[in-house]
Each structure stands twice: as C-alpha cells, then as structure tokens.
Amino acid sequence: MSTTREIKRRIRGINSIKQITNAMELVSTAKLRKARRVLEQSRPYYETVLSNIRNVIGHVNENHYLLVNREIENRLYIVLTSDRGLAGGYNANVLRLAQDKIGENKSTAKLLVVGTKARDFFTRRDYNIIESYTGISETPTYKDAKLLGKKAMELFKAGEVDEINLVFTRFESTISYTPKVLQLLPSEAITEEEETKTLVEFEPSSEAVLDYLIPKYIESSIYGALIEASASEQGSRRVAMEAATDNANDMIGELETNYNRARQAAITNEITEIVSGADALT
C-alpha cells in the first residue's frame, strides 16, 4: 500500500488537473453559447442563397460552365478541424471520414485544410495539401470563408479539380456532432428544380446572376460549415472536460479512501508497537 505522503501528493496533483479541466469546461461552455448564436443567425442566410440559386437555375441554360458535370479526375477536399486538442473524438472522427472518403484516390486528391490537426495529420501521410489555414477554427468569420471559397473556385475554374467536397462536423445538439461530407460542385442541391416556376426577368442576364450566386453559395456553405464545426468543437471539448473533471473527482474520492485506510493502518501499527514495547518492559 502507498504511504500517506505519496497518496497526498497524488491527490494534490489530481486536484491541480481538475482545476484546469473545470476551467476549460467553463470557457468552452461560454464559447459554445456564442457559436450556437452565430449558427442560428447564419442558417437563414445560407438557405436564402440556396433558394435563390434554385430559382435562377430553373430559368437558365443547364449547360452553365459551373454546373456542367465533368469527368472526375481530380477532387478537392476542404477539411475542417481545430487548432487545439482536448476535444474528445472531434478531430479524429472528421479526419477518419476524410481519409475514408478519399480512399484509394490519394494521388488525385487535393486538400485545403483548416486547423493544425488536419495539417499535421495529412502532412505526415504525404497528402497533397494545396494550402492550410490556422487560427480560424474557434472564431471563424465570413472573410475566412471567402478566402477558402475563392481558392476553391480558382482551382475549379482552372480545371485543376473537377469536384469540390467539404468535410466538416455538423452540430446536432450540445452532446451530438456528426462528421459529414458535402459535395459543393457539381452539386445536385443547387440544380434541383423548383416545383413551381414563375416568370422572372434577370438583369443584365440570368447567366451573370448565376456567375455571382454560385460563388456566394460556395462561400456561404463554407461559412456555415465553419460555424457548425466551431460549435461542434466547443461542444465536444466541453463534454470531454466535464468527463475529465468527473473522473478526477472519482479518483480523488478513491485516493482519499486509500489515504484514510493507510493512515488508520499506520496508527494501528504504532499502537501495536507501543503495546508490544510495554509488554516487553513488564
């Protein structure tokens, strides 16, 4: 059995860790509340853009150069992870999904990665990373989405990639986060025909409107995914830190029990020695 001094040292060490995990849980809770508020505000914007694109698609030539189905040779994957760990299985799940999606097409896959976790993961495995972005995973802005969207569109328009995929974690609830892959281009989501069509006149032309709306669709989709990922990261970290704090409390409780037993055993041993010494003197 460990000595009382060793047990007390372990209790102090676990208490220190518990204070850190508890503080991180509180910080993540505050960040999660903010991220959810931003998420609730961004979803209507994305849905409006998507609805407008569908409306325009119903009145333009389906052979628009941004919508034509190509022979898929090279695929682009935009992978969203965090810059920091201690978030449970958040990063591992989305990275595993991205790797499974790429599968045997590693040689034809190109990546835009957000977060040091994705950058380090794919760098170690020799994937073709076009660009990496750090420092934006926790508090993304629309400017960050525009930067990613612009690079993705440049690659698509230049014919360097024939498909754009977005790999991120969708926020379902405070304890549920689902990694998913969203194909941005070519996308069936924006070519679905509306059930009812109305007479619409576009200025200067429907094609020009579409040239403007499709990049907006890409940007808003990426921004929405960044917000979803940010909320998922904070939620996952909060749950992980809560579990760590609970485990620390359990360990402290067990150590305190062991400490009391060790202390009682030491006292009993001292009493036995005293009694034995007194018997020896008589």
Side-chain angles (χ1 to χ4, degrees):
M1 182 180 290
S2 302
T3 64
T4 54
R5 182 177 297 178
E6 291 173 346
I7 295 174
K8 288 182 72 175
R9 184 168 60 247
R10 290 188 63 190
I11 290 175
R12 285 196 299 269
I14 295 173
N15 260 319
S16 298
I17 295 173
K18 172 188 168 184
Q19 291 175 0
I20 294 172
T21 57
N22 188 50
M24 291 184 68
E25 178 189 349
L26 295 175
V27 171
S28 294
T29 300
K31 289 184 177 180
L32 173 60
R33 191 178 298 113
K34 180 180 179 181
R36 290 190 66 178
R37 194 161 52 242
V38 176
L39 177 60
E40 291 169 358
Q41 295 171 351
S42 67
R43 277 176 174 166
Y45 175 81
Y46 163 76
E47 291 172 355
T48 300
V49 172
L50 182 57
S51 176
N52 288 338
I53 291 177
R54 286 176 177 170
N55 187 35
V56 174
I57 290 293
H59 300 85
V60 299
N61 190 334
E62 294 182 356
N63 293 323
H64 190 277
Y65 75 100
L66 290 177
L67 300 177
V68 172
N69 288 322
R70 311 176 184 177
E71 181 180 352
I72 306 299
E73 295 182 0
N74 299 296
R75 293 176 171 86
L76 177 68
Y77 295 88
I78 305 172
V79 185
L80 310 184
T81 62
S82 68
D83 292 311
R84 299 187 297 124
L86 298 177
Y90 167 75
N91 290 304
N93 291 336
V94 72
L95 290 172
R96 189 183 303 114
L97 176 62
Q99 194 174 32
D100 291 345
K101 181 66 177 177
I102 295 171
E104 298 179 356
N105 300 316
K106 178 179 176 181
S107 60
T108 60
K110 299 182 179 182
L111 279 73
L112 297 178
V113 297
V114 174
T116 58
K117 296 301 179 180
R119 182 195 64 190
D120 297 343
F121 179 87
F122 289 113
T123 298
R124 287 194 301 268
R125 290 161 177 77
D126 296 323
Y127 281 81
N128 184 10
I129 299 178
I130 303 299
E131 285 189 13
S132 62
Y133 307 82
T134 59
I136 66 176
S137 64
E138 291 194 26
T139 55
T141 65
Y142 194 80
K143 182 179 179 181
D144 300 321
K146 287 187 68 174
L147 190 65
L148 280 160
K150 180 180 179 182
K151 185 62 180 180
M153 290 301 297
E154 286 176 355
L155 295 171
F156 190 82
K157 290 179 178 179
E160 296 184 36
V161 297
D162 307 300
E163 183 180 283
I164 300 176
N165 297 283
L166 184 58
V167 189
F168 66 103
T169 305
R170 179 176 174 81
F171 182 85
E172 305 290 352
S173 68
T174 54
I175 58 173
S176 178
Y177 331 98
T178 307
K180 64 175 298 183
V181 179
L182 176 64
Q183 184 175 314
L184 298 180
L185 283 179
S187 174
E188 294 181 357
I190 62 175
T191 56
E192 293 176 354
E193 294 186 1
E194 296 285 342
E195 294 183 0
T196 59
K197 294 185 179 180
T198 57
L199 181 61
V200 180
E201 184 175 344
F202 298 98
E203 291 292 343
S205 67
S206 56
E207 287 77 7
V209 173
L210 203 57
D211 287 340
Y212 174 80
L213 282 180
I214 290 179
K216 286 296 180 184
Y217 159 72
I218 299 296
E219 293 169 4
S220 60
S221 295
I222 293 174
Y223 179 63
L226 284 169
I227 297 300
E228 297 268 6
S230 175
S232 300
E233 176 188 349
Q234 299 306 332
S236 184
R237 182 171 290 116
R238 187 198 67 79
V239 171
M241 292 302 99
E242 182 182 21
T245 302
D246 291 342
N247 289 337
N249 284 327
D250 292 341
M251 291 179 66
I252 290 172
E254 184 178 346
L255 286 171
E256 286 177 343
T257 300
N258 292 338
Y259 172 79
N260 292 332
R261 288 175 179 172
R263 187 165 177 268
Q264 184 177 7
I267 292 172
T268 302
N269 187 53
E270 289 179 5
I271 293 174
T272 302
E273 291 177 354
I274 292 172
V275 172
S276 299
D279 289 343
L281 294 174
T282 58

